[in-house]
Amino acid sequence: MNGVEHRETGSVFLRFGKVIVAGTIRATGSHALRLGLLVGAAWAFPLSGVHAETLYGALGKAYTANPTLNMQRASLRATNEGVPQALSGYRPTITGLANAGVQSSNFQIPAGVTAAGGGEAAWSTLYPRGLTLQINQNIFTGGRTMNSVRQAEAAVQAGREQLRFQEQSILYDGAQAYMNVLQDTAVLSLQRNNVEVLEEQLRQTRDRFNVGEVTRTDVAQAEAALATGHAQEAAAAATLKSSIATYRQIIGDDPRQLAPGQPVEKFLPRNVDAAVKVALGAHPAIIAGLHSVDAQEFQVKILEAQLLPQLGVTGSVSRTYDNSYRNDLRTSASVVAQLNVPIYEGGLVYSQVRQAKEQVGQARIQVDVTREQVRQQVIASWAALDSAKQQIAASQSAVEANEIALAGVREEAKVGQRTTLDVLNAQQTLLSSRVQLVRAQRDRIVASYNVLGSIGRLSVTTLGVRVTKYDAKKHYEQVRDKWGGLQTPDGR
């Protein structure tokens, strides 16, 4: 390195909100790579002439095709069917019955009854058959049907909030996976550059050793540094492969070309107190919990309905053939009202009601627990965002100072005031500060998504992602008032 020009390469970065260049940055001498806010890194091939995948584009893919999210949507559609099932309590049930058989009987004719003197045996064979149509209609169920419908509707509302929470989780995971690939690509680039620099350092040290300027110890130190650099490069490559696998799991595609990513701080409240206020009123986990409380309260009323009178009407029409004798034809019809009045059922229902009331209390406490969890998450994620900003500023200063220090150590080494180990240590310190800066840049973007999710506003609508939004109400409206049919609305 002494007196020999070296090169350093890096990925695409943004410095204090201003794009420098899309592509590869090269610097020589002491003009090393300066890193600002990380916004992108090339993967697999150069940026020029290639359509880059954006962060919002990747999130759109995850929103549309992520299997975990689609599974939650299917779960909501299944929950929607609970409403028509509850509404069936208002509707009649119609049953058709049919029977057919053979009836054979033997009887003895007493003596003297017939002209032949009696004592004869006779056989009679009939073919009884019949049809019956029966209709049952509930008139009063103690409020069971009404409260069952309300409970099912509360479950649907809770399911929608759970879906919204899952959407937030997938979008956050997608943003994290996207930024991890960018971060790990940049770190791998820095590690590869470090190996190149260390290889050049080792070559120079060996040349100086051959002319007697340094000792064998200096060569060994340079060799050890290069070996460590190769190990760090291998570790960075392995980390990148893991991040790529996670990216594919969440987004659905391999990251071929990733364009700049940006923080979403413009969608955040002005301070942490405002963020907490928004979260307590809008977070899907809290709202889902409140709907669950409603569902539990309706369950109490459903159970209490078992202690009230039940009134229903049954109508039937039947026709029978050959029931008593050949060519026998009978038609009958009836309408019967039935009132069931429970008097005592052994205490079972009373216990079930008390149990359901305790479950209501449990659900309310769970909402309080969720509120505190949301509050903690908002404060923690906001602190992480502030910390990332501060780390970026500190790391930028560290990088600049370490660049100056490395340049000075190299110059001093030329005149024998510094050893090879001093140069290697300065190089490693600069590398560490650059890696720390890259990670801080990634942390800021990910933390901003985390804050947005913690207040309940992380959605494709808020972000403006261009994707067809899933309509959770559409399937509900399609099935709510269906009286029959085996096919799902999508034709299955």
Side-chain angles (χ1 to χ4, degrees):
M1 275 188 249
N2 299 335
V4 179
E5 183 181 82
H6 70 283
R7 298 183 301 172
E8 298 180 354
T9 61
S11 301
V12 185
F13 294 93
L14 185 96
R15 187 173 180 81
F16 298 111
K18 180 179 178 182
V19 175
I20 299 175
V21 66
T24 300
I25 303 173
R26 292 185 179 271
T28 61
S30 62
H31 300 287
L33 179 66
R34 283 164 164 66
L35 310 181
L37 176 60
L38 174 65
V39 297
W43 174 251
F45 43 78
L47 277 167
S48 58
V50 178
H51 176 69
E53 177 75 274
T54 65
L55 177 51
Y56 282 5
L59 294 183
K61 290 180 179 179
Y63 179 84
T64 302
N66 183 272
T68 301
L69 186 53
N70 285 333
M71 181 176 66
Q72 188 67 39
R73 290 167 178 159
S75 176
L76 176 60
R77 292 194 294 270
T79 301
N80 290 341
E81 293 290 353
V83 176
Q85 290 171 18
L87 286 170
S88 67
Y90 287 122
R91 301 165 187 160
T93 59
I94 303 175
T95 306
L97 303 174
N99 60 79
V102 59
Q103 177 181 326
S104 182
S105 60
N106 174 274
F107 59 93
Q108 186 73 33
I109 300 176
V113 174
T114 64
E120 298 180 356
W123 284 87
S124 175
T125 302
L126 300 177
Y127 300 92
R129 53 201 183 275
L131 297 171
T132 300
L133 180 65
Q134 181 173 304
I135 302 176
N136 297 310
Q137 175 64 60
N138 291 323
I139 303 299
F140 178 73
T141 61
R144 182 186 61 194
T145 302
M146 176 183 64
N147 289 304
S148 294
V149 173
R150 292 176 177 175
Q151 183 187 51
E153 290 174 339
V156 168
Q157 294 297 328
R160 290 178 183 175
E161 294 303 319
Q162 290 166 358
L163 174 60
R164 191 160 70 91
F165 182 75
Q166 186 66 63
E167 287 175 353
Q168 288 198 160
S169 298
I170 294 301
L171 291 176
Y172 171 74
D173 291 344
Q176 188 177 44
Y178 188 100
M179 294 310 303
N180 283 348
V181 172
L182 292 182
Q183 169 193 262
D184 296 338
T185 302
V187 170
L188 179 58
S189 177
L190 289 172
Q191 296 292 354
R192 286 175 174 170
N193 173 75
N194 182 56
V195 168
E196 292 176 3
V197 173
L198 292 174
E199 287 175 344
E200 180 63 19
Q201 174 69 38
L202 177 58
R203 186 189 65 78
Q204 295 177 22
T205 303
R206 285 173 174 168
D207 290 342
R208 296 179 66 195
F209 173 74
N210 292 334
V211 296
E213 293 184 7
V214 297
T215 67
R216 179 60 188 168
T217 301
D218 295 287
V219 176
Q221 289 171 340
E223 290 174 343
L226 179 58
T228 301
H230 281 301
Q232 292 173 338
E233 179 186 6
T239 301
L240 177 58
K241 290 179 180 179
S242 177
S243 296
I244 291 172
T246 302
Y247 182 99
R248 179 175 178 80
Q249 177 190 6
I250 297 171
I251 305 301
D253 289 332
D254 287 327
R256 298 297 180 186
Q257 181 67 54
L258 302 187
Q262 294 283 357
V264 289
E265 296 168 28
K266 62 183 178 181
F267 302 118
L268 301 181
R270 62 184 181 278
N271 55 50
V272 66
D273 292 334
V276 169
K277 183 177 180 181
V278 171
L280 294 180
H283 198 282
I286 296 176
I287 300 175
L290 293 173
H291 287 303
S292 295
V293 171
D294 293 339
Q296 291 291 344
E297 290 178 339
F298 289 127
Q299 179 63 20
V300 173
K301 296 178 180 180
I302 292 170
L303 292 171
E304 289 175 340
Q306 298 181 56
L307 301 174
L308 299 177
Q310 312 286 316
L311 177 63
V313 175
T314 300
S316 65
V317 177
S318 63
R319 171 168 288 190
T320 61
Y321 302 86
D322 287 2
N323 193 48
S324 300
Y325 52 85
R326 287 182 181 276
N327 299 322
D328 176 20
L329 175 61
R330 298 183 183 183
T331 302
S332 61
S334 67
V335 177
V336 179
Q338 183 174 345
L339 177 66
N340 293 326
V341 181
I343 297 176
Y344 183 67
E345 35 53 65
L348 174 63
V349 176
Y350 297 98
S351 177
Q352 290 175 336
V353 170
R354 295 194 302 270
Q355 181 185 50
K357 288 180 178 179
E358 294 295 344
Q359 290 171 340
V360 171
Q362 179 185 3
R364 286 174 177 162
I365 295 172
Q366 181 59 52
V367 173
D368 292 337
V369 172
T370 302
R371 285 195 180 101
E372 292 306 314
Q373 291 174 338
V374 168
R375 183 191 303 273
Q376 184 275 335
Q377 184 181 14
V378 172
I379 295 173
S381 60
W382 195 281
L385 178 58
D386 286 341
S387 175
K389 293 177 182 178
Q390 295 172 11
Q391 288 180 29
I392 289 174
S395 297
Q396 285 172 336
S397 298
V399 168
E400 292 171 358
N402 285 324
E403 286 173 347
I404 296 173
L406 177 59
V409 170
R410 286 171 176 159
E411 292 301 320
E412 292 171 0
K414 292 179 182 179
V415 296
Q417 294 180 347
R418 292 284 183 170
T419 65
T420 300
L421 181 59
D422 293 329
V423 176
L424 294 173
N425 288 339
Q427 171 67 23
Q428 186 62 41
T429 301
L430 176 58
L431 173 65
S432 298
S433 62
R434 285 175 174 169
V435 170
Q436 182 61 37
L437 177 55
V438 168
R439 289 174 177 165
Q441 294 160 351
R442 172 265 182 198
D443 290 346
R444 178 184 178 181
I445 295 177
V446 173
S448 68
Y449 276 86
N450 194 19
V451 175
L452 190 60
S454 68
I455 65 175
R457 289 184 175 177
L458 180 54
S459 66
V460 292
T461 301
T462 300
L463 298 177
V465 177
R466 296 182 179 179
V467 65
T468 301
K469 194 173 186 303
Y470 181 79
D471 187 358
K473 296 181 180 179
K474 182 178 179 180
H475 179 269
Y476 172 81
E477 294 169 350
Q478 290 173 330
V479 302
R480 186 185 191 279
D481 296 315
K482 288 179 70 70
W483 281 53
L486 298 178
Q487 279 193 340
T488 62
D490 60 2
R492 287 175 292 159

